[in-house]
Amino acid sequence: MPDLPDVETLLDAAVRALDGARRDGQVAMAKAVTEAIEADEHLVVQAGTGTGKSLGYLVPAVRHALAEKTTVVVSTATIALQNQLVDRDLPRLAQALRPLLGREPTFAILKGRRNYLCRHRLDTAGADPDETELFDPRALSSLGRQVQRLHSWAEETVTGDRDELVPGVSDLAWRQVSVAANECMGAQACPFGTECFAEQARAETTEVDIVVTNHALLAIDAMQGYHLLPEHDLLLVDEAHELVDRVTSVATGALSEKAVATAAKRAARVCDVELTERLAETADGLSMIFTDAEPGRIDHIPEALAGAVASVRDAAHACVSSVGPENKNDPDAASARRFALAALEEVHRAAVRVLESFEPPLRDRQDVVWLAKGGRQAPSLHVAPLAVGGLLREKLFGDRTTVLTSATLALGGSFQSLAVQWGLGRERDQAPPPVPERSEGEPAPEAGAPGSATEGEPRWRGMDVGSPFDHARSGILYVAKHLPTPGRDGLDPRYLDEIAELIDAAGGRALGLFSSMRAASQATEELRERLDQPILCQGEDSTGQLVKEFAEDEATCLFGTLSLWQGVDVPGPSLQLVIVDRIPFPRPDDPLASARQRAVGAAGGNGFMAVAATHAALLLAQGTGRLLRSMSDKGVVAVLDPRLATARYGSFLRSSLPPYWGTTDPEVARAALRRLNEAAAPAAV
């Protein structure tokens, strides 16, 4: 291939072709990614909203792939963002760069096996459903109709990708025609192996320039040894602020009555009946223990619970040991065997991990265990790692260049909080921190644990390329310093008064971000009686439909909780007020956050700042970032929690937010909203 144009030339061509404008931050980011590739070093880039970070990393990625005849992997937080890259960003970029590169860059999307229809599972759908007895006949009729629809769709689809099925089907219906990676018998043994949609998707990734995956699949590939991704020397992690949570989720095991009962039922087709009956009995025993146990973190396992978990472990192991060899001449039997082993091994692995987690002294443990129950949630025992930094350091940063980027990475003005969680060491050219003294016999903190640092960790460079938005001129950060500290008994009437006055001044146009669904529902119910503006509440329809209605009617308000903090992109006059009811600290009884906080304290660090404040800063930065989504947007972020202005940690949280102009005067905020409302009024007529 002839010499390729440099990255800046390619970026200019892409921007022109996409009718965009040159952005200094985007250029700086593209150059930094290129330098990181050439220097074989890791890079952390904060690129604020409006920077155009997708092009900032995709252009150097494409150039590297073509120059080195290799594949580059891009990972993002969700399947929806994967689809956006593959359906919108990459096709336009490939077409724009083709004249300069001599050929059109190629790309493919790779999702988890469960996202693809399994032809063999489809062929046997309904023969042995795991859950149908839990549903009434009407639900079963609906399930049958959905499975029939999937049969018809299977004759038409080219990809078998669930996201291409419109309208979609329920999760229960999809489980009847799909398999997880550990349930698949393999293409060679499967009678439909040559037609397997998941295998076809994976095959398409072996010869393309860019493979787009998601953080969960990236974690599965790294942790479970399936080697789903092609060999690559460059990994680009977009929405990197979500990486730790996604990896933690994949690394979390669960044990429940349902999981054990399902494993026993699947095993009944391939194991001795006495063994499967014994396993089913342990499910009943586990359920009895769960009924009397209190939910929450478990630091010292009660003898009865330990006995019940050990019974599950031993019974599952006995079933696994009794499963005979695979009969490759009988695909149905091979499939039943694989399904049974997958369920048995998952149950056995979770039980072993729960019991082993309690063996070391409390301060030396690497896992945390808790019981979740209450409401509609069936009781289940969970075990999760205290930190995933060691895993990430070994699997993601070992033998490749990794670029991590997001609009919100510099918490408290520094990348260090997230860098530690990722397992990265000191930033390049940064002096080593002092080594804290430890008492005799006290272990060093685990590498990658919040607040820890270990020699040999990967070095990296960080940069903030800023944002083209003039936050100080376009947005006001109003902190309601005069309000009382939020309590636990619902929204204080003074908070509701404040929200009502702000919305009235803005003429609607408000996104209410609440720390709980209870608070969002309370505000919706009470303010609908007091305000003329329509109020939508999360849960009343699909989130996508609610956001669509909110964007289309400037007078409408939308209230909700966690997913709205990160998932709303509404430029223009429909969103000119973002209301945050309280600083989004993790709940004090959150088992994982509290255990991580305690671990940091035991290692000599500040657990509150390393865990709770970092969590809150990240969510606040994401939530307040909903305000400005285009260059012409203006508005007010109203944080009702006075602690943002009065608490010692308030400066850390404020320095994590975009640099809005700040005030604690409610009349200043309301006057600004009234001016914006009056300016927008003619457009609304």
Side-chain angles (χ1 to χ4, degrees), residues 485-496 515-516 518-520 522-523 526 581-582 587:
T485 300
R488 297 186 179 182
D489 299 324
L491 289 172
D492 186 289
R494 287 165 287 187
Y495 276 55
L496 293 168
S515 55
S516 69
R518 176 188 174 191
Q522 179 190 351
E526 297 195 26
D581 72 326
R582 66 190 298 161
R587 290 171 53 97

Side-chain angles (χ1 to χ4, degrees), residues 502-504 506-511 531-536 549-559 573-577 677 680-681 684:
L502 289 166
I503 290 176
D504 184 64
R509 315 173 196 279
L511 175 65
L531 295 171
D532 295 330
Q533 292 83 6
I535 300 177
L536 306 173
E549 292 181 32
F550 171 59
E552 290 175 349
D553 182 4
E554 293 179 12
T556 296
C557 303
L558 174 59
F559 291 177
S574 290
L575 175 48
Q576 294 184 334
L577 171 61
N677 185 25

Side-chain angles (χ1 to χ4, degrees), residues 248-265:
T248 300
S249 180
V250 170
T252 298
L255 194 62
S256 66
E257 176 195 8
K258 177 182 174 183
V260 178
T262 296
K265 183 162 50 174

Side-chain angles (χ1 to χ4, degrees), residues 128 130 180-185 226 259-260 262-271 276 279 315-327 332-350:
D128 185 28
D130 295 326
N182 62 346
E183 296 170 338
C184 177
M185 72 177 80
Y226 288 114
V260 178
T262 296
K265 183 162 50 174
R266 289 186 180 184
R269 296 182 60 183
V270 296
C271 296
T276 58
L279 181 59
H317 181 264
C319 287
V320 170
S321 300
S322 75
V323 174
E326 180 180 357
N327 182 358
D332 289 342
S335 177
R337 177 182 181 276
R338 185 65 258 166
F339 262 72
L341 281 175
L344 290 168
E345 288 168 353
E346 187 170 331
V347 164
H348 179 260
R349 186 164 50 246

Side-chain angles (χ1 to χ4, degrees), residues 242-560:
E242 294 200 44
L243 181 62
V244 168
D245 284 347
R246 303 280 173 171
V247 173
T248 300
S249 180
V250 170
T252 298
L255 194 62
S256 66
E257 176 195 8
K258 177 182 174 183
V260 178
T262 296
K265 183 162 50 174
R266 289 186 180 184
R269 296 182 60 183
V270 296
C271 296
D272 294 338
V273 64
E274 292 183 2
L275 295 177
T276 58
E277 287 179 352
R278 175 183 160 199
L279 181 59
E281 289 171 0
T282 69
D284 296 334
L286 201 63
S287 177
M288 290 172 52
I289 297 295
F290 285 169
T291 299
D292 296 330
E294 291 295 322
R297 193 181 72 220
I298 303 173
D299 291 333
H300 305 286
I301 189 167
E303 185 176 342
L305 179 58
V309 174
S311 295
V312 172
R313 177 198 61 193
D314 296 342
H317 181 264
C319 287
V320 170
S321 300
S322 75
V323 174
E326 180 180 357
N327 182 358
K328 296 183 178 180
N329 296 321
D330 187 343
D332 289 342
S335 177
R337 177 182 181 276
R338 185 65 258 166
F339 262 72
L341 281 175
L344 290 168
E345 288 168 353
E346 187 170 331
V347 164
H348 179 260
R349 186 164 50 246
V352 167
R353 191 170 161 199
V354 165
L355 294 171
E356 289 183 347
S357 71
F358 293 100
E359 292 177 0
L362 187 60
R363 67 183 183 184
D364 295 341
R365 292 178 188 169
Q366 303 301 319
D367 283 335
V368 57
V369 177
W370 70 93
L371 177 64
K373 61 186 292 190
R376 297 182 179 180
Q377 182 179 22
S380 56
L381 202 59
H382 297 260
V383 54
L386 273 172
V388 296
L391 170 70
L392 293 176
R393 183 178 63 251
E394 176 188 355
K395 300 297 186 180
L396 297 192
F397 303 118
D399 56 357
R400 64 176 60 86
T401 294
T402 301
V403 176
L404 302 112
T405 185
S406 170
T408 50
L409 295 178
L411 304 180
S414 169
F415 296 120
Q416 196 60 39
S417 294
L418 288 178
V420 168
Q421 293 184 28
W422 294 326
L424 292 173
R426 300 186 310 277
E427 188 171 358
R428 190 183 70 179
D429 302 328
Q430 182 182 0
V435 178
E437 294 185 4
R438 298 195 304 274
S439 58
E440 185 176 352
E442 181 181 351
E446 189 229 345
S452 71
T454 303
E455 287 302 318
E457 290 176 336
R459 301 293 292 274
W460 53 280
R461 183 164 66 98
M463 69 181 303
D464 182 353
V465 300
S467 167
F469 297 162
D470 189 343
H471 289 86
R473 289 181 177 272
S474 301
I476 294 174
L477 174 62
Y478 160 55
V479 181
K481 187 177 178 180
H482 62 284
L483 290 178
T485 300
R488 297 186 179 182
D489 299 324
L491 289 172
D492 186 289
R494 287 165 287 187
Y495 276 55
L496 293 168
D497 292 342
E498 188 79 23
I499 296 172
E501 290 171 358
L502 289 166
I503 290 176
D504 184 64
R509 315 173 196 279
L511 175 65
L513 302 177
F514 294 85
S515 55
S516 69
M517 203 59 235
R518 176 188 174 191
S521 299
Q522 179 190 351
T524 300
E525 182 179 347
E526 297 195 26
L527 293 177
R528 276 175 175 167
E529 300 294 324
R530 298 171 55 175
L531 295 171
D532 295 330
Q533 292 83 6
I535 300 177
L536 306 173
C537 188
Q538 190 175 5
E540 295 175 339
D541 203 334
S542 70
T543 299
Q545 181 60 31
L546 290 173
V547 172
K548 182 174 182 290
E549 292 181 32
F550 171 59
E552 290 175 349
D553 182 4
E554 293 179 12
T556 296
C557 303
L558 174 59
F559 291 177

Side-chain angles (χ1 to χ4, degrees), residues 583-643:
I583 297 171
F585 292 120
R587 290 171 53 97
D589 59 355
D590 180 282
L592 188 53
S594 62
R596 286 174 168 172
Q597 194 164 318
R598 182 180 60 189
V600 174
N606 186 325
F608 172 78
M609 292 302 296
V611 180
T614 295
H615 172 93
L618 201 52
L619 272 179
L620 271 179
Q622 286 286 312
T624 59
R626 300 307 97 200
L627 181 66
L628 304 183
R629 309 305 296 178
S630 73
M631 296 294 288
S632 60
D633 286 352
K634 295 181 182 297
V636 173
V637 172
V639 179
L640 308 186
D641 190 334
R643 293 174 296 177

